[in-house]
Amino acid sequence: MSQETSFTGKRVLLSSASTVGPATIYVKAGKVTRIENEYLAEGATFDAGPRLLMAGVVDSHVHINQPGRTQWEGVVTASHAAASGGVTTIIDMPLNCIPSTVTIEAYEQKRESFADGMWVDVGTWGGVVPGNADSLVPMLAEGARGFKCFLCDSGVDEFPPVDEAQLRVAMTELKRVNGMLMFHAEMETGASVNEADDPTDYKTFLDSRPPAMEVRAIDLVVKMCREFATVPCHIVHLSAADALPAIRAAKAEGLPLTVETCFHYLTISAEDVPTCSTEYKCCPPIRGQTNRDLLWEAVLDGTIDFIVSDHSPCTPDLKLHPCCGGKIAHGATEGDFVSAWGGIASVGIGLPLLWTEGKSRGLSLQDVTRLVCERTAKHAGLCDCKGQIAVGLDADFVVWDPEENNHIDAEKLHFRNKLTPYHERSCKGLVHQTIVRGSTVYDISQVDNSDTWENGFSKKPHG
């Protein structure tokens, strides 16, 4: 029988509705059993002291790429990276793995492959593609958290987009069980690359994916959400502020619509992207400063429900980037934004990025908990066990110092491919420990390898 352990601290934030103050949290069998609003260091299993102890981050938009493309990422490296940044749960997207998670067999294959080792808890989204409607309810029954579809080319052949008629077939199935459908909300508008422009100039790529692509797609999402009013609909990685009026109107109408944006859309502006720096490329694209300010307004007024990483790495050669051993193929152009793979690597570094940018805009620690813990847990159907510190929920904690300097060095990051736009970025907030269901899986102070620790991580995976 497991013994009761205790985690204490002078600065504990239990939820977005609470204040920061002293508390001691008692844990048994991975669950919180009781909480006392006192700092009780004597006899405590873990003492956070003056550092902030709060619920572990839930990142509900991560591409692990396993099985099939583990040269891009993998469950061990992805969960290590997550743990190093206070993320205690990640939810894996149904692409860019091979096979895509669009059948019950593919779902089971993915879950089996994760036996390689999970240092944090890992959930899985399924996918909606043409012709797989019959697989949706069975995947939900097996544990899929919901489904994602594309309204434009996904970039990989094995995950084709759906049109309105195919959406209607899939949503008819999901209506039977109130299953959620998430949308990569871009649709073609006729915009294209100007061949006369320099492909190594970010503006060339940005102009080829205008805000109208998102606005057109979101208009369709709202239409389908209204027609299938019991199917929760979700817009992933909103980039274009031009779509906010339609989103606000849909929410005012009472439609079951939620929206996420990403750390990169809130912390980087198009004006800041250097020539040839394809580590900044993603779809939809990072837009200008005025757009970024409007996204922040939508975060702070609640129009945008939560924030995720959309960690979507690849090998440097696909980024047409020479770093990290990347080799540029014969005939390709180094730093070609148009041809490079789109995706930003950032799992595990979102907490300090968000806090550093957000606190100057009025973001509170309670807001952080709401945006990256509580609402992401609810989105993934995990609010009964994740997202805040409460009796009966999982003992998932991050211990960090929001005021400590944090200089991001790509070589010290833990995801597989180190190419990230955040290299050499200075911010505030450093994670010291990450606890998953009562077990410490990351400890920055564990600098010496031992029988139980290696490079700051527990040798035993606890996810």
Side-chain angles (χ1 to χ4, degrees):
M1 182 176 292
S2 63
Q3 299 295 310
E4 187 176 66
T5 56
S6 62
F7 296 78
T8 195
K10 298 176 181 178
R11 301 179 65 218
V12 178
L13 181 60
L14 300 176
S15 73
S16 65
S18 64
T19 57
V20 175
T24 300
I25 305 154
Y26 295 88
V27 175
K28 189 173 184 179
K31 299 284 187 180
V32 175
T33 55
R34 55 194 175 100
I35 300 170
E36 296 184 21
N37 294 321
E38 293 182 79
Y39 173 60
L40 302 171
E42 185 175 351
T45 309
F46 180 92
D47 182 1
R51 297 189 178 111
L52 182 69
L53 189 159
M54 64 178 238
V57 174
V58 177
D59 190 341
S60 57
H61 193 147
V62 175
H63 293 266
I64 295 175
N65 305 322
Q66 182 171 326
R69 284 194 174 98
T70 50
Q71 71 273 29
W72 294 15
E73 194 59 274
V75 71
V76 172
T77 51
S79 62
H80 272 180
S84 71
V87 180
T88 53
T89 304
I90 55 179
I91 314 295
D92 181 39
M93 282 290 159
L95 74 163
N96 305 302
C97 49
I98 302 174
S100 296
T101 318
V102 296
T103 65
I104 190 69
E105 293 79 14
Y107 177 85
E108 291 171 347
Q109 183 179 346
K110 173 177 282 190
R111 297 306 304 178
E112 289 168 5
S113 80
F114 286 174
D116 289 353
M118 296 176 286
W119 269 257
V120 301
D121 287 344
V122 182
T124 304
W125 300 112
V128 167
V129 296
N132 82 325
D134 290 346
S135 297
L136 304 182
V137 174
M139 275 195 281
L140 277 178
E142 284 297 307
R145 312 314 305 170
F147 299 92
K148 179 184 182 180
C149 69
F150 272 71
L151 302 179
C152 63
D153 181 23
S154 72
V156 291
D157 293 339
E158 59 271 11
F159 202 96
V162 289
D163 59 25
E164 184 173 338
Q166 292 160 339
L167 270 179
R168 193 164 278 107
V169 173
M171 294 180 79
T172 298
E173 284 297 300
L174 293 175
K175 186 176 181 179
R176 294 168 46 202
V177 289
N178 297 337
M180 180 173 56
L181 183 57
M182 305 183 295
F183 297 81
H184 179 120
E186 289 183 288
M187 292 178 72
E188 296 298 335
T189 60
S192 62
V193 175
N194 186 338
E195 300 297 337
D197 291 341
D198 180 0
T200 68
D201 184 345
Y202 180 68
K203 187 175 184 300
T204 301
F205 164 67
L206 179 61
D207 288 348
S208 74
R209 298 191 82 110
M213 291 182 67
E214 290 186 73
V215 171
R216 182 183 180 197
I218 288 169
D219 285 345
L220 175 60
V221 173
V222 171
K223 173 185 173 181
M224 300 303 290
C225 190
R226 185 179 293 117
E227 181 176 341
F228 292 88
T230 60
V231 177
C233 294
H234 178 72
I235 297 165
V236 299
H237 49 49
L238 178 71
S239 161
D242 286 4
L244 289 170
I247 292 167
R248 289 188 170 109
K251 289 192 166 197
E253 188 180 332
L255 298 182
L257 179 69
T258 53
V259 186
E260 70 186 45
T261 193
C262 303
F263 302 119
H264 42 273
Y265 300 132
L266 297 173
T267 61
I268 305 171
S269 300
E271 295 88 343
D272 303 327
V273 179
T275 300
C276 294
S277 298
T278 52
E279 63 269 33
Y280 289 83
K281 180 183 177 180
C282 58
C283 296
I286 293 168
R287 305 193 188 276
Q289 178 66 45
T290 300
N291 183 88
R292 182 158 74 102
D293 290 340
L294 291 170
L295 289 180
W296 265 109
E297 288 181 13
V299 167
L300 293 171
D301 72 17
T303 303
I304 292 174
D305 295 276
F306 54 83
I307 305 166
V308 296
S309 70
D310 186 14
H311 174 70
S312 185
C314 67
T315 53
D317 57 308
L318 294 177
K319 278 286 190 184
L320 301 178
H321 201 293
C323 92
C324 317
K327 300 186 185 302
I328 310 301
H330 178 72
T333 300
E334 181 180 325
D336 181 343
F337 280 101
V338 175
S339 301
W341 173 262
I344 288 184
S346 62
V347 67
I349 53 179
L351 186 59
L353 292 169
L354 176 66
W355 176 240
T356 302
E357 177 71 27
K359 67 177 181 176
S360 65
R361 296 174 181 266
L363 196 76
S364 68
L365 290 168
Q366 286 82 358
D367 292 328
V368 171
T369 297
R370 173 175 53 85
L371 291 165
V372 300
C373 304
E374 294 176 356
R375 288 190 174 177
T376 45
K378 181 180 179 181
H379 170 63
L382 298 172
C383 60
D384 61 342
C385 57
K386 310 284 186 186
Q388 55 182 280
I389 301 173
V391 172
L393 272 61
D394 289 348
D396 292 351
F397 314 136
V398 53
V399 177
W400 65 298
D401 184 345
E403 302 310 317
E404 189 169 353
N405 291 330
N406 183 350
H407 183 75
I408 298 172
D409 180 348
E411 287 307 308
K412 295 180 180 179
L413 298 175
H414 298 282
F415 38 78
R416 187 178 302 281
N417 291 289
K418 313 299 184 186
L419 184 59
T420 176
Y422 296 112
H423 178 53
E424 299 290 4
R425 190 171 182 124
S426 293
C427 46
K428 291 286 188 179
L430 185 66
V431 170
H432 284 256
Q433 287 89 19
T434 302
I435 294 103
V436 175
R437 283 180 283 113
S439 296
T440 304
V441 296
Y442 173 77
D443 188 336
I444 199 171
S445 69
Q446 294 291 343
V447 295
D448 297 321
N449 294 342
S450 66
D451 290 343
T452 54
W453 291 93
E454 184 172 6
N455 300 323
F457 298 96
S458 62
K459 282 193 172 179
K460 181 180 178 182
H462 291 280

